Amino acid sequence: MKWLKWTGLALFFLPVLLIGIFILYEIFGMGVNHFATWRQTERLRADLEEKIPGVEIVSVYSETGNTSGTGNHVDCLSVITFSAEMEEGEIENRLSSDYGFDEWACFVERTEEGNYLIYLNTRAPFEDNIEGH
């Protein structure tokens, strides 16, 4: 009779335990994704400051989530606005060893204010996380 009680309790608490583990996994994935975005943005900022002489950072923006609105995935988005005494092509040439410029996920463009904007959008480590839905 005692084994029946323990079996019943195990069957009752097993789904609760599994749901709890799933929730912790999703929270862990969110943390890793946000850290990956932060690291990507900091690396992009450091590369700009190292490879572009006289660069002045105007603003830094980053976002973790489904940035494109297409599908269920998580992106790491980094956007930095900066000023420099170079042309777009020369900036891309100096950064091309580290970044694959493709006019969609990574590009440099001139803003209306005369500054430059570098846009970098990559997949997150936990790309099927709840943040992408």
Side-chain angles (χ1 to χ4, degrees), residues 31-47:
V32 170
N33 288 344
H34 282 270
F35 178 74
T37 301
W38 173 82
R39 188 178 62 189
Q40 171 182 289
T41 304
E42 290 301 310
R43 178 175 170 237
L44 181 59
R45 180 184 202 144
D47 286 343

